[in-house]
Amino acid sequence: MKHMMLILATLILLHNATALLRHENTGVRTYRLRTRRCAVNPSSTTGRSIPAVPSLPFIGSLPIIGLGKAAGIGPPPHVQMAQLSRIYGEVMQVRMGRDPWIVLSSPRAVHEAFVTKGGDFGGRPMVPSMSISSGGGKGFARPQPNPELKKLRRTAFTALFDPTRVRRSEEAFADETALLAEYLVGESERNGSAEIRPAVRRAVINCVLRYAFSTRIPHRAGEIGVVPGGNSDRNPPQGYFDELVHVTDKIWALLTSTQTTMADLLATPDVNSYELRRLVRRRDQIIRGIVAHRQRQRRKDGDTHLRGEHGDMLDALLGAGLPDTDVHYTLVDLFVAGVNTVSTQIEWFLLLLAEKPSVQNRARGDVSSRPDD
């Protein structure tokens, strides 16, 4: 589990161009990309045109893939996308409203677009709601690659993922996984059952908080909230982080609502936009407060924690000499895009594991055979 969470957390920080097809509590495997350039089909090097799903003026292919969910009929979009990929291939063009999107529905296609041809496909879809959340496309959420994004990527590969920080992250994720298991077992013993979804989500949030700020939020009262050996004296009061998580939850609920999605794709007014802007303003105030507090402490301490074993993501970003805007929106990316996607995938991982007892037994045996566990 700890290796899986580390890999997923790493992917989130580097997912600059990718986002899971917007959904609610589903295990989508299809990625989306909006770009002006055509992808090369992985089965060919001729650069032939991409197969396109039929579309209509203004509304594009939404009647085929999107309106079913909005009206409560038909399969959800991720299922329909998978079915369409069997007809049009693993790389296909879909008009989401007026805009052409390229949908990649296989690991091979995703690897080609975002690794082999990452320079061509380094942008990110900038629908109206995401533009509000990302400050018009800042941090990793830039619509097109530019020198600032390249510098941010270099920071991610060097300062954020150096061996010391990766080792510390593995230890923190393993600790958080153990606390999650302890909580679920305790809840089952006390109440006869445990709600897995909110517990998994809290564990993922804590992994993000520990990586970014060296803090965490307890599963229940009485559980330790401060990370041992962390930066508790270099963070503002815990209430900042409690509210940050609460506000981020509300923002994500609006971003992924069917109403917001349809307004984004059809370029129509969205009644949620006022509330979204209000929440984004509050989120930004909280993050700026956290960053400002850390900057003051770093000046007081002479930046010693950046090079020490307790330096976290915020220390690395501040020490890399990035503009304040990049520091801010990199943290925004981590919280807005980094929690639900990971927690949803872990939910699916647990569900599929529960359906395959033989795999579950092998995993249990592998863990039990390790001396350190």
Side-chain angles (χ1 to χ4, degrees):
M1 176 71 79
K2 70 179 182 181
H3 295 299
M4 176 184 178
M5 294 179 76
L6 176 63
I7 292 169
L8 289 172
T10 302
L11 288 175
I12 287 164
L13 290 172
L14 301 177
H15 79 307
N16 55 79
T18 64
L20 287 171
L21 179 67
R22 295 216 311 214
H23 61 286
E24 295 174 9
N25 303 321
T26 58
V28 155
R29 291 289 185 270
T30 300
Y31 294 80
R32 70 182 185 183
L33 176 69
R34 176 181 162 194
T35 178
R36 295 177 181 176
R37 305 189 187 193
C38 287
V40 176
N41 191 310
S43 63
S44 171
T45 58
T46 61
R48 64 173 184 255
S49 60
I50 300 172
V53 176
S55 62
L56 298 171
F58 302 109
I59 61 174
S61 305
L62 290 178
I64 299 176
I65 61 171
L67 294 182
K69 182 181 179 183
I73 58 175
H78 73 284
V79 173
Q80 190 73 338
M81 287 284 195
Q83 295 172 351
L84 288 170
S85 70
R86 297 189 186 103
I87 300 172
Y88 296 97
E90 58 191 4
V91 179
M92 62 183 178
Q93 178 176 293
V94 176
R95 283 198 168 271
M96 305 293 279
R98 301 184 181 189
D99 294 324
W101 288 19
I102 295 175
V103 178
L104 312 176
S105 53
S106 75
R108 179 174 59 173
V110 171
H111 183 273
E112 178 175 359
F114 300 131
V115 179
T116 307
K117 300 182 182 298
D120 293 336
F121 294 91
R124 193 174 187 185
M126 194 49 59
V127 294
S129 64
M130 188 57 68
S131 179
I132 294 172
S133 179
S134 67
K138 298 186 176 78
F140 280 109
R142 289 176 171 84
Q144 298 293 335
N146 58 21
E148 289 77 16
L149 181 56
K150 292 180 180 178
K151 181 177 181 180
L152 200 54
R153 284 175 170 174
R154 284 195 298 271
T155 301
F157 278 111
T158 54
L160 295 181
F161 298 116
D162 64 45
T164 300
R165 285 193 173 83
V166 169
R167 183 177 64 254
R168 288 185 60 244
S169 297
E170 288 180 328
E171 295 169 354
F173 294 167
D175 183 51
E176 203 58 51
T177 302
L179 290 171
L180 170 62
E182 179 182 326
Y183 170 76
L184 291 174
V185 170
E187 286 294 291
S188 298
E189 291 175 347
R190 283 187 291 271
N191 305 317
S193 64
E195 290 289 333
I196 292 180
R197 174 168 293 162
V200 168
R201 178 177 173 80
R202 175 56 56 85
V204 173
I205 288 172
N206 280 336
C207 287
V208 171
L209 288 173
R210 292 175 78 144
Y211 184 75
F213 305 117
S214 300
T215 191
R216 67 184 301 274
I217 299 175
H219 283 279
R220 60 175 178 268
E223 182 182 302
I224 186 171
V226 177
V227 177
N231 288 341
S232 58
D233 60 327
R234 291 155 57 76
N235 283 330
Q238 188 66 24
Y240 274 74
F241 301 100
D242 294 339
E243 187 179 3
L244 175 61
V245 170
H246 178 68
V247 170
T248 301
D249 283 347
K250 288 189 171 183
I251 290 174
W252 185 260
L254 286 177
L255 289 175
T256 57
S257 70
T258 301
Q259 180 177 344
T260 299
T261 300
M262 298 305 295
D264 280 342
L265 299 178
L266 296 175
T268 59
D270 181 12
V271 296
N272 287 338
S273 63
Y274 174 80
E275 177 66 5
L276 179 60
R277 292 178 189 277
R278 185 187 70 80
L279 290 169
V280 166
R281 284 195 297 270
R282 183 54 190 153
R283 177 205 67 194
D284 291 348
Q285 289 172 352
I286 297 169
I287 292 178
R288 290 191 181 101
I290 294 171
V291 172
H293 183 94
R294 179 66 63 85
Q295 288 174 322
R296 289 193 295 271
Q297 292 299 316
R298 282 170 57 85
R299 287 193 294 269
K300 178 181 176 182
D301 297 340
D303 292 354
T304 56
H305 281 254
L306 174 64
R307 292 177 292 278
E309 60 178 301
H310 299 311
D312 52 29
M313 176 181 176
L314 181 53
D315 279 322
L317 292 174
L318 293 175
L322 296 171
D324 290 346
T325 299
D326 280 351
V327 173
H328 178 85
Y329 283 102
T330 298
L331 295 170
V332 166
D333 255 6
L334 187 65
F335 279 92
V336 174
V339 173
N340 289 70
T341 47
V342 175
S343 60
T344 298
Q345 187 155 349
I346 292 177
E347 286 177 36
W348 275 90
F349 169 77
L350 294 174
L351 174 63
L352 295 173
L353 194 62
E355 291 181 341
K356 298 186 180 297
S358 61
V359 176
Q360 190 175 156
N361 289 335
R362 290 203 304 272
R364 186 178 292 109
D366 178 59
V367 171
S368 301
S369 65
R370 297 183 181 183
D372 59 337
D373 291 325

